[in-house]
Amino acid sequence: RQSQSRNSEIKRIKDVHVQEFVEQEQSWRDKVEQLQNKVKELEKELSLLNIESLKKEMSLNAQSKTEYEELQARIHHLKEEHGEYIAQLEAQHREALQRQAAAL
């Protein structure tokens, strides 16, 4: 009788330990799953930020190209508009350089 009582107490203690282990195991699995979901969420957020960054970079590149083309057009226009004057200045500059070289 005492042996049977002792065996049933041992079984009860084992059952309690097994139940605690199972609950801890499930809790751990739940936490791991939550962390994996959080990692997926953060990876998705990072991906969206990278896409947004690339879009901004492409937009800035397009804007820079447009500004460069506008500046080139203005330079071309100014050269056409003041071409004769620029040619005169360049000729005067060459003459000044020649005089300077001759003076040395």
Side-chain angles (χ1 to χ4, degrees):
R1 172 119 180 117
Q2 206 175 23
S3 173
Q4 189 178 10
S5 174
R6 184 168 165 75
N7 283 344
S8 94
E9 179 64 17
I10 290 172
K11 184 180 180 337
R12 189 188 67 73
I13 291 171
K14 282 183 180 177
D15 288 348
V16 166
H17 285 301
V18 166
Q19 183 61 35
E20 286 175 355
F21 175 79
V22 167
E23 288 171 2
Q24 288 175 354
E25 180 77 10
Q26 187 58 49
S27 172
W28 179 80
R29 284 185 183 149
D30 291 345
K31 287 178 183 174
V32 167
E33 186 178 342
Q34 287 173 355
L35 288 173
Q36 287 172 336
N37 288 338
K38 184 69 176 173
V39 166
K40 286 178 187 174
E41 193 178 305
L42 290 172
E43 286 174 342
K44 190 186 296 184
E45 198 174 313
L46 179 63
S47 179
L48 290 174
L49 287 172
N50 282 336
I51 290 170
E52 196 61 34
S53 174
L54 285 173
K55 284 181 181 177
K56 285 183 180 177
E57 188 176 333
M58 287 168 38
S59 172
L60 286 174
N61 286 343
Q63 183 180 348
S64 294
K65 184 179 179 190
T66 301
E67 288 172 359
Y68 173 79
E69 289 170 349
E70 288 171 358
L71 286 172
Q72 288 297 320
R74 284 178 59 196
I75 289 169
H76 182 71
H77 175 73
L78 287 171
K79 280 184 176 178
E80 284 181 349
E81 194 174 291
H82 302 289
E84 189 176 322
Y85 179 64
I86 290 172
Q88 289 173 357
L89 288 176
E90 287 174 345
Q92 289 173 3
H93 181 67
R94 277 194 304 275
E95 291 170 11
L97 286 175
Q98 288 171 354
R99 283 195 303 273
Q100 186 180 18
L104 294 176

